[in-house]
Structure formats: structure tokens, C-alpha cells
Amino acid sequence: MTAGRQLHLAVSLDGFGAHPAAWRRTARTPESAFGSAALHLDAVRRAEEGLLDFVTLDDSRPIHAQRDGRAHGRLEAAQVLAVAAAATSRIGLVPTGLTGRPPGEVADRIATLDHLSGGRAGWRPRVNVTPEQLQLALEPEGGPLFIELFDEADEFTRAVLGYWDSWAPGALLGDLAGGQFVDQALIRPVDFDGVHVRATGSAAVPRPPQGRPVTAILGHATIPYRLVARHAEVAFVTPVDTAGLLEIGAELDGLRKEAGRADRSFRLFADLNVVLADTEAAAQERLEELDALDGEPFTSDAAVYAGTPAGLADRLEEWFRDGGADGFRLRPALLAEDLDALVDGLVPELQRRGLFRTAYSAETLRGHLGLPEAAHGSGSGNGQA
């Protein structure tokens, strides 16, 4: 088959899997019920064997954890992926950066990951809310709170980007003969005074290898789409069908134009939960077993696909060719089993169709995604309120 446009693939590493009952199928002791670095390290290595563009790792409270008795801890995402950076060489590593944390601390953690991985880091700004705030925001009268939360996320993202821009290219001299470590004139402190976020000073970590790690944002509706339009280089969206994906893409195109970013490089990723088996009946049986263990049907912000790797390839090809998606972030229902099915079943099928790479051709996350290195001070996030 003649080489042509190819899709991008990512995988979400969400504890033991995206299904709320996944931990009950995998955990062996109470202490292991929140996962382990080894679990995720094995998953990142496996994803790299499948030549995936990147993995994401979240350390915030999952939606299903708000149900009684299901709250559980998470390992800190950037630290886990820093360990994974040393054990891998090509795959991108994208942890969450939660609002409510100091933006300078988040900027330094992600920049450190970019240095440790040789330019393979991204980050996903995410609104950090309490269960009570989330419940209120989702109610009809909670609109103002919902807007306020995403206004804070906008300021938080701008502040983090501003810290990365505080070191201009060439600021790190390392002049052994002259004894000058940095060119202080090329370090511009952040001075961000927003309604919700205050940021001052310069980053402790020098400019990341990619200029800025890749910014990836999840959106479900117009208010979060505005955050996507202002800042995202990778957008995660949650369509249920091709028509819905086209509508989302059109809305984002309009919002990006309003934000003055229509000419910027941008990748649209559709999220999809996956339950895979050799036959569709076996996949449905796996899903039903997990649902029975949890006590209710699996519901999610993203669609659920239960079937074969070949059938999943059909869905992805349709959304890629007809729906305008550039790539997909797949959420394995049961991490170990479904990730293996993705690597051993889906990837070879997509390669057979000429839709996915057969080898890595780049070394950085921006390279995998075809995104340019971020120019200093580019676009949003110049550190000014």
C-alpha cells in the first residue's frame, strides 16, 4: 500500500484500567489497590513496543472514586513518568498538571521530565475540583462556578507556559573557561497577576529541550473547548459517532479562529474506552463480567467499544478518514489485558492498512506528532496577566 497520511495513537494509563472494577480484577493486596510504579512502568514499555506516540497518566481523583467506598490514592504522575523516562527511549510521556498547585512547581516538574526524557514530555492541565464543587458545577445553577473553574485553568496554564518562557534560548551558557553558568540577561522573570493565579520569578529548571512540552487538554463542551482553543496543541475529545466528531471539530475550528490560533499546529484526538477480545461475543462477555463485579453498567465521559482489534481498527479508520480525527487516545478497560490486545492486535492491523508507523522516525514528542519546536514566547502564556 502506498504510504500516506497516518494516524496517531496514545493510551491512557488509569490505575488498573478505565473500568471502575479493574482494580478488583488485578490488585492482590489492599496496599496494591492504588497501583504501583512497576505496573505503570511495564505499561509504558509495552506501549513503546507498540510504537505509540505517547501515554498519559493522571494523578487526580477519578469520577467513579466519588462513589461510596471507592476513593483511592494515586501515585504522583510526573514522578512515575520520570522513572519511565529512564526505562524507555522514544515514547512520549504526558502527566497531569492540576490547577490549585503552584504553577511554578508544576512547570519545573514537567520541564524536568522533558530534560530527563530528552524532549518526550507533554502535560495535561486539568481542573482540580472537590466532589462537592463538581456536583454543583454539573447542576443547572452551577454554570457560574463551571466558568470560574475554567477561567482559573486558563490563568494556570498561561502561568506555567510563562515559566517555561522565562529562560530564553541560549540563557544556559555553561561557560567553563569564563566561569559563567547563565546569561542573566536572557532570563526574564514571570510577572503574572491574575484573578485566580499569581506567579512571579523565573523557572528553577532551564528551558525545556522542546521549548515547551506539548500541551494536551481534554474538553467535553463549549466552556472547556475555549480552553482547548486558547492553549492546546493536542485536544482530547469524546464523540460517540462520526457526525458528533465532525461537529466537535467544526466548533473547535471556530473557537481557535476566535482565539487567533487557527494557523497553529493542532492535533485532534478522539478518546475511546476499549474492551477487546478475539471475538465480539467474548469482548461483550468480558465487559459484562466487569460490570457485574462493579454492580452497575460501565458509564464514562467517552464512548465504550467492546469488540475485536480488527473491529476497533474499522472504527478508528472511519473517524480518521471521515471524522477529521488526527489520532486517538485509547483507555484500556483492564490495563494489562487490553493494552496487550492493542499492541499485539490493533497496531499490526493498522500497519497492514498503512495507517500507522512501522518504526519511530523521531525522538521527541513534538517529532512524533509533527509539531514544531515551540518558539520562545509564542502565543499564549507569555507570563503577563
Side-chain angles (χ1 to χ4, degrees):
M1 180 178 291
T2 303
R5 178 172 168 257
Q6 294 184 325
L7 57 80
H8 299 282
L9 280 180
V11 67
S12 171
L13 310 181
D14 185 7
F16 291 104
H19 196 287
W23 69 277
R24 297 184 64 186
R25 284 286 306 273
T26 313
R28 296 291 177 261
T29 66
E31 292 77 18
S32 71
F34 68 93
S36 68
L39 172 79
H40 292 118
L41 182 58
D42 288 344
V44 176
R45 287 173 173 151
R46 193 75 177 101
E48 186 172 70
E49 290 175 9
L51 307 175
L52 271 61
D53 292 75
F54 60 90
V55 300
T56 65
L57 182 60
D58 195 354
D59 54 15
S60 59
R61 180 192 296 262
I63 297 297
H64 63 71
Q66 295 166 25
R67 291 151 61 186
D68 289 344
R70 307 185 187 212
H72 56 80
R74 295 288 185 99
L75 297 175
E76 205 282 324
Q79 294 187 59
V80 172
L81 293 182
V83 175
T88 56
S89 62
R90 293 297 185 91
I91 195 164
L93 308 167
V94 182
T96 301
L98 290 172
T99 61
R101 295 177 180 175
E105 175 185 313
V106 172
D108 285 341
R109 287 189 179 191
I110 305 300
T112 296
L113 180 60
D114 205 41
H115 282 283
L116 291 174
S117 64
R120 292 185 283 132
W123 76 305
R124 181 164 82 88
R126 178 168 179 172
V127 174
N128 189 22
V129 296
T130 66
E132 294 76 20
Q133 286 176 317
L134 178 62
Q135 182 60 42
L136 177 59
L138 295 177
E139 293 175 358
E141 63 272 20
L145 174 60
F146 195 58
I147 293 171
E148 181 179 345
L149 290 170
F150 278 90
D151 285 345
E152 180 183 357
D154 175 70
E155 291 185 359
F156 173 76
T157 303
R158 290 165 61 194
V160 170
L161 298 177
Y163 275 111
W164 289 334
D165 283 343
S166 65
W167 287 64
L172 182 62
L173 294 176
D175 182 357
L176 300 180
Q180 188 175 7
F181 185 70
V182 299
D183 183 344
Q184 196 64 42
L186 295 179
I187 300 178
R188 184 185 66 168
V190 176
D191 183 15
F192 189 98
D193 190 10
V195 175
H196 307 281
V197 176
R198 172 71 175 154
T200 60
S202 57
V205 178
R207 182 173 173 80
Q210 296 180 101
R212 291 176 176 177
V214 174
T215 299
I217 301 176
L218 172 67
H220 301 299
T222 298
I223 292 173
Y225 287 162
R226 292 189 186 280
L227 182 67
V228 169
R230 292 170 186 155
H231 301 295
E233 296 167 286
V234 171
F236 301 130
V237 298
T238 54
V240 297
D241 54 28
T242 305
L245 180 55
L246 287 168
E247 290 178 5
I248 293 169
E251 182 172 3
L252 284 173
D253 286 345
L255 291 172
R256 291 178 65 241
K257 185 176 181 180
E258 288 179 16
R261 297 186 69 236
D263 60 342
R264 299 290 180 85
S265 295
F266 177 80
R267 301 290 179 263
L268 184 65
F269 275 60
D271 274 21
L272 194 63
N273 295 284
V274 295
V275 185
L276 298 173
D278 291 337
T279 66
E280 185 172 343
Q284 290 292 339
E285 183 178 351
R286 285 191 63 223
L287 178 57
E288 290 168 5
E289 289 175 353
L290 287 168
D291 287 349
L293 194 60
D294 191 49
E296 58 185 70
F298 179 32
T299 59
S300 170
D301 57 326
V304 179
Y305 172 85
T308 66
L312 178 58
D314 291 339
R315 172 80 64 90
L316 302 190
E317 183 171 7
E318 178 183 342
W319 284 7
F320 176 64
R321 296 196 186 280
D322 302 330
D326 298 300
F328 303 90
R329 184 174 66 149
L330 304 176
R331 307 179 187 178
L334 196 60
L335 181 58
E337 293 182 21
D338 290 308
L339 180 56
D340 281 343
L342 292 174
V343 172
D344 297 332
L346 175 68
V347 168
E349 178 63 24
L350 292 174
Q351 290 170 334
R352 186 185 67 78
R353 302 182 190 196
L355 292 173
F356 193 63
R357 65 172 66 91
T358 57
Y360 284 116
S361 60
E363 297 183 353
T364 68
L365 179 53
R366 289 185 174 276
H368 298 332
L369 296 170
L371 298 171
E373 179 177 329
H376 180 246
S378 59
S380 60
N382 61 6
Q384 307 303 313

